[in-house]
Amino acid sequence: MGRRSGSSAGERRRSTIYDVAKEAGVSAATVSHVLNGTATISEATRERVMAAIESQDYRPNNTARTLRKRRSGIIGLVTQDMTSQFYSIMYERLLVRAQEAGYITFLTCGQQDSKLTRSNIEMLIEHQVDGMILVGNGYAEESLQAAEKYGVPVVLCDQYAPNFHSVEFDNFNTMRRLVHCLCGEGMRRLAYIGVAGADGHENLYQRYRGFQQGMLDEGLNPDRYNIVLSREESKYFKYNREFRVFSDFLQKMPKEEWPEAVFASHDAIAQIFIASVLRSGGQVPQDMWVLGFDDTSHAFFSAPSISTVHQDPLELADESLQMLIARMEKKDCRLHKVLQQKIVIRESAPIAKYLLQREKLEILVDERSVAGAAGQLLEQP
């Protein structure tokens, strides 16, 4: 038998499970058992049913299946920034891993707007997702509490909130210890470039807080040289252009008064700042050290290559999804998980190895991009 034609030309009536059962010569219950693997069916019967499914071009009604099983097979993903190279790698991993686990991912973007984020969360609840991962800040506590109340488990990714399950990197302590390392090099004029307030991504805010605390630990003014960017300016690609504010910052003071080292909130900003230093007549690392964050291609392909903080977007995706699946399956899992970072030594900041070891920072040496004096990982003198 061929595929059924509808009552008018160019249209086909959607085949039902009963059409498949009739063609295969079995009951509708048998077809259901074949589709869902819920009973032992002979191989001959299974083959007849599968042939009838193909002949009828039958597609199961997922809405009805959801009502029966009380699960949709959908995971909600609420993002805040789609322009980040780091996050785009992580999103791809999440989508692929979720698919491998049998889930479809419903992707939304909150753009760091609390109202839009709340709307996205509420929409996902209405669509009866099985679970939800929220990336970045703007976690909209009341809406997430509503999700948990309706039986939709939530995991915060790359951020922290005390009452929700979360996976994050140790941004605060890593940045604080890096400040200690550079002060151990004898540097006192240190600057930070990035989002300074809590209205940006939570991870960026924790980096800034770590820089501030490290400076206070060393008895230094944490705000003397900083360049504060808006959350829009800090985005990777949409605003990845020459920043006049960087050139103005450098040119308003003699070179001998420039910061000795600059911490950028991510690699793209570090790359742009290095270009500004070179155009202002300076050299990196001779006149100034520059450090990035994330270990993206911006750091590797920059000239000079950028010393940075490596954090694994694949690990972040895997741990967040594993935590959510455990929650959806009602298995035990820890409330918070903190992932560790590594320091990548490249040309822009030849930090002494013994100082990194003293601060208990794990080192990842990129031999491909380390050259000359900047590549000398100095042991303790």
Side-chain angles (χ1 to χ4, degrees), residues 295 299-302 304-307 344-348 364-372 374-375:
D295 195 21
F300 181 78
F301 290 110
S302 178
S305 58
I306 301 172
S307 295
V344 186
I345 304 299
R346 295 196 179 101
E347 295 168 323
S348 70
L364 179 61
V365 182
D366 192 338
E367 301 288 357
R368 299 167 297 173
S369 62
V370 173

Side-chain angles (χ1 to χ4, degrees), residues 50-336:
M50 295 306 296
I53 288 171
E54 183 176 356
S55 173
Q56 293 287 335
D57 194 23
Y58 172 67
R59 297 291 182 272
N61 187 327
N62 286 327
T63 301
R65 181 179 291 183
T66 296
L67 292 173
R68 290 194 304 271
K69 294 188 173 182
R70 296 187 178 181
R71 61 181 297 274
S72 64
I74 300 173
I75 289 174
L77 180 59
V78 182
T79 71
Q80 301 297 329
D81 184 0
M82 302 293 290
T83 67
S84 160
Q85 183 183 122
F86 177 85
Y87 278 140
S88 58
I89 294 170
M90 190 201 71
Y91 297 150
E92 180 183 61
R93 177 73 161 212
L94 265 173
L95 267 60
V96 171
R97 285 288 189 253
Q99 183 174 331
E100 291 173 350
Y103 292 94
I104 296 172
T105 305
F106 194 137
L107 180 64
T108 69
C109 184
Q111 294 187 316
Q112 297 174 318
D113 181 304
S114 58
K115 183 177 180 180
L116 181 56
T117 298
R118 286 196 299 271
S119 175
N120 288 338
I121 294 169
E122 290 160 7
M123 177 179 64
L124 291 172
I125 295 172
E126 290 173 2
H127 279 75
Q128 298 181 317
V129 297
D130 294 334
M132 196 182 306
I133 296 176
L134 199 77
V135 184
N137 73 325
Y139 62 87
E141 185 168 359
E142 290 183 3
S143 297
L144 291 181
Q145 286 175 343
E148 296 278 2
K149 179 181 178 181
Y150 282 102
V152 180
V154 173
V155 169
L156 303 183
C157 173
D158 209 18
Q159 62 175 318
Y160 166 85
N163 299 319
F164 295 96
H165 286 73
S166 65
V167 180
E168 63 172 336
F169 287 105
D170 199 6
N171 290 287
F172 177 86
N173 285 312
T174 295
M175 185 63 81
R176 181 182 185 182
R177 292 167 182 169
L178 274 174
V179 171
H180 296 165
C181 288
L182 268 63
C183 288
E185 296 277 3
M187 298 181 181
R188 311 301 287 173
R189 301 193 306 275
L190 306 182
Y192 184 86
I193 302 175
V195 177
D199 62 337
H201 269 287
E202 173 71 11
N203 59 352
L204 300 183
Y205 181 51
Q206 291 304 321
R207 292 170 198 179
Y208 170 69
R209 287 188 60 246
F211 172 83
Q212 280 198 314
Q213 189 58 58
M215 293 289 280
L216 293 172
D217 294 343
E218 299 289 343
L220 302 175
N221 181 354
D223 301 314
R224 181 180 175 189
Y225 290 101
N226 296 350
I227 301 177
V228 177
L229 303 177
S230 70
R231 66 187 184 187
E232 289 297 310
E233 288 174 325
S234 73
K235 288 189 175 183
Y236 273 74
F237 300 120
K238 188 176 181 181
Y239 293 91
N240 194 357
R241 53 179 171 76
E242 180 180 0
F243 276 54
R244 187 67 197 174
V245 65
F246 294 167
S247 299
D248 291 345
F249 170 81
L250 294 167
Q251 292 169 12
K252 74 180 181 181
M253 67 184 80
K255 186 184 294 185
E256 58 269 20
E257 295 180 10
W258 281 1
E260 296 165 286
V262 170
F263 294 85
S265 60
H266 58 65
D267 294 330
I269 294 299
Q271 184 181 43
I272 298 168
F273 186 76
I274 287 175
S276 299
V277 172
L278 300 179
R279 292 171 184 172
S280 299
Q283 292 182 294
V284 176
Q286 292 87 339
D287 298 314
M288 185 188 305
W289 288 11
V290 178
L291 295 94
F293 220 104
D294 287 342
D295 195 21
T296 61
S297 62
H298 293 279
F300 181 78
F301 290 110
S302 178
S305 58
I306 301 172
S307 295
T308 187
V309 177
H310 173 84
Q311 50 184 18
D312 190 346
L314 307 183
E315 181 185 21
L316 181 61
D318 290 349
E319 293 292 345
S320 299
L321 183 60
Q322 287 171 16
M323 181 178 285
L324 181 64
I325 289 175
R327 295 207 63 210
M328 292 188 299
E329 295 178 352
K330 303 186 184 307
K331 296 179 181 178
D332 291 336
C333 64
R334 67 176 71 180
L335 184 61
H336 304 298

